[in-house]
Amino acid sequence: MTSLTSIASALAAQAIELPSWAFGNSGTRFKVFGSPGTARDPFEKISDAARVHKHTGLAPSVALHIPWDLVDSIADLKKHAEDNGVTLGTINSNTFQDDDYKLGSVTHSDPKIRQKAIDHHFACIDVMHETGSRDLKIWLADGTNYPGQDDMRARQDRLTDSLATIYERIGTDQRLVLEYKFFEPAFYHTDVPDWGSAYAQVSALGDRAMVCLDTGHHAPGTNIEFIVMQLLRLGKLGSFDFNSRFYADDDLIVGAADPFQLFRILSEVIRGGGYGTPDIAFMLDQCHNIEKKIPGQIRSVLNVQEMTARALLIDGDALAAAQEDGDVLAANGIVMDAFYTDVRPALGAWRESRGLPADPMAAYAASGYQEKIEAERVGGTQAGWGA
Ligand code: PSV
Ligand code: MN
């Protein structure tokens, strides 16, 4: 097996983008629980995200969601991020919380609603120019609940037209990243349900249009690492939204539900040349409903790092030889040996060698930051999922 020391420099290439919305209160359809110290505005969300980077060195950028993170001065927010040692990353559009979008946004049959949704994306692109963001990430809640409710094909055509209009507006150094999801909030069909549909749409747009793979957006049992392989092979994997799920789009801590799946996904990323290149944004898309948010994000990025380290340990040469020989058990054994390696002590030492705490969870707990925000952030309205 590949040695732990030989993967040290590869580990240094890891950068995971945090979602601003993970630092607000969120919940289920039944209840959103408040928690002491929760950020009350985008500035406090960024401050909290920066603590994750401070203790892990893994999370140098923060994705924004518009309009949730709109502030009077984006320039001030950008400066605040930089003062805290992080940058502003992907801009996520939101066409799922306005009454006008009940029956769709960019696919709506009414041209006025479609234009409203397109204009929102133009506004997001304006924000990107101010933040210096590369990626505009589009997830659409568009879809229908009942057979016959709308013409699926006409909606697909309208989607193509709307995306083309948005794509024309992005800068030459920017990208449009389209996220698919097979259900929810629409339950009969969604207009971008799967990687193939997203791939067809972005391929029609051009080189700077890519697919975003949210790990929670597949039917149970889907072989997600196959999709990773295929999109990498096709040169169209633009970003990940990492999270984990037991049943639906649970948005739980990545690697919590199925660490082996996370390992398999990261193995395909590495195998396909998607690791250590800026071409793929490794984002989290999670909510922390019952656990503390900052340590929840620290745990998440550590889980990604841990499974990346294990995946880097796969002996590619030995694996290729076993595959060539048709040695089924040897090939599988090479992969499983890497997966079962406990890399935590070595990662602790690796962190210390880089001036980071060996145990970022403990370092955060000892830092006093949680107590400080719980004492200071009294009054005002806590940010929620959606604000
Ligand atoms: C939709 O479920 C989604 O995964 C999209 O990425 C949204 O932008 C995000 O969740 C909102 O939390
Ligand atoms: Mn997502």
Side-chain angles (χ1 to χ4, degrees):
M1 190 165 52
T2 308
S3 75
L4 276 160
T5 42
S6 67
I7 65 168
S9 63
L11 284 174
Q14 190 141 50
I16 301 161
E17 189 159 300
L18 305 185
S20 68
W21 52 101
F23 299 95
N25 287 325
S26 51
T28 66
R29 282 182 292 134
F30 301 97
K31 168 75 177 161
V32 173
F33 296 104
S35 56
T38 294
R40 293 164 298 179
D41 58 41
F43 288 89
E44 291 182 348
K45 291 188 218 174
I46 299 292
S47 303
D48 292 357
R51 303 306 286 195
V52 177
H53 187 48
K54 177 182 161 60
H55 294 299
T56 65
L58 287 171
S61 62
V62 189
L64 301 183
H65 221 295
I66 305 297
W68 300 343
D69 292 319
L70 277 183
V71 288
D72 289 344
S73 165
I74 293 285
D76 285 352
L77 192 65
K78 183 174 189 241
K79 174 151 190 333
H80 176 71
E82 285 161 5
D83 289 346
N84 281 272
V86 293
T87 59
L88 301 179
T90 300
I91 299 300
N92 291 258
S93 62
N94 183 329
T95 55
F96 50 89
Q97 288 186 314
D98 191 299
D99 285 342
D100 278 345
Y101 300 136
K102 182 162 82 172
L103 300 181
S105 64
V106 296
T107 66
H108 203 288
S109 57
D110 181 342
K112 286 197 294 300
I113 309 261
R114 290 206 297 281
Q115 191 57 51
K116 173 174 169 164
I118 290 168
D119 287 343
H120 167 67
H121 287 91
F122 289 170
C124 288
I125 295 167
D126 291 343
V127 171
M128 289 167 72
H129 289 310
E130 282 197 76
T131 54
S133 302
R134 179 189 60 179
D135 291 348
L136 171 65
K137 179 147 71 69
I138 303 178
W139 171 72
L140 302 165
D142 295 44
T144 62
N145 274 0
Y146 298 100
Q149 179 189 321
D150 199 2
D151 181 334
M152 290 193 287
R153 178 161 174 163
R155 291 175 73 94
Q156 201 65 199
D157 293 340
R158 297 193 286 260
L159 174 65
T160 302
D161 291 347
S162 298
L163 288 178
T165 309
I166 296 166
Y167 184 72
E168 268 170 36
R169 182 68 77 104
I170 60 170
T172 49
D173 53 353
Q174 293 174 336
R175 311 191 305 179
L176 182 159
V177 185
L178 183 62
E179 178 176 352
Y180 60 90
K181 178 173 176 177
F182 78 116
F183 87 114
E184 194 193 46
F187 293 114
Y188 169 57
H189 102 280
T190 62
D191 291 302
V192 190
D194 49 41
W195 76 267
S197 301
Y199 175 75
Q201 288 291 344
V202 299
S203 296
L205 294 175
D207 290 346
R208 286 172 292 114
M210 311 289 280
V211 177
C212 170
L213 187 158
D214 183 314
T215 51
H217 289 186
H218 308 84
T222 301
N223 182 336
I224 297 175
E225 58 272 26
F226 178 88
I227 301 171
V228 171
M229 174 280 295
Q230 187 69 290
L231 286 172
L232 278 168
R233 185 176 158 267
L234 297 166
K236 281 293 186 192
L237 182 61
S239 61
F240 280 99
D241 271 5
F242 281 116
N243 48 56
S244 67
R245 52 81 68 81
F246 288 98
Y247 299 104
D249 185 23
D250 303 347
D251 283 340
L252 297 174
I253 288 175
V254 56
D258 188 347
F260 185 40
Q261 181 187 61
L262 180 58
F263 165 84
R264 299 192 311 264
I265 289 170
L266 289 164
S267 301
E268 284 304 327
V269 169
I270 294 164
R271 161 75 181 84
Y275 181 75
T277 139
D279 296 348
I280 296 166
F282 292 84
M283 274 176 289
L284 305 183
D285 180 7
Q286 296 179 185
C287 295
H288 302 290
N289 304 338
I290 55 171
E291 66 274 29
K292 288 193 171 74
K293 296 158 203 321
I294 300 169
Q297 289 283 287
I298 293 176
R299 169 59 66 217
S300 304
V301 297
L302 294 179
N303 284 351
V304 175
Q305 184 185 45
E306 198 176 320
M307 289 305 141
T308 302
R310 293 191 194 197
L312 285 166
L313 288 177
I314 296 174
D315 185 335
D317 292 340
L319 182 60
Q323 290 170 346
E324 182 84 0
D325 288 350
D327 193 337
V328 176
L329 294 178
N332 180 241
I334 288 163
V335 170
M336 298 314 291
D337 279 349
F339 174 65
Y340 281 122
T341 306
D342 186 358
V343 293
R344 288 173 296 181
L347 284 177
W350 178 86
R351 282 185 205 108
E352 276 185 324
S353 74
R354 303 177 65 81
L356 292 162
D359 181 349
M361 292 291 285
Y364 175 72
S367 72
Y369 187 78
Q370 188 70 36
E371 292 76 7
K372 182 171 170 293
I373 57 176
E374 289 184 13
E376 283 177 6
R377 293 179 184 168
V378 175
T381 309
Q382 295 187 325
W385 185 86

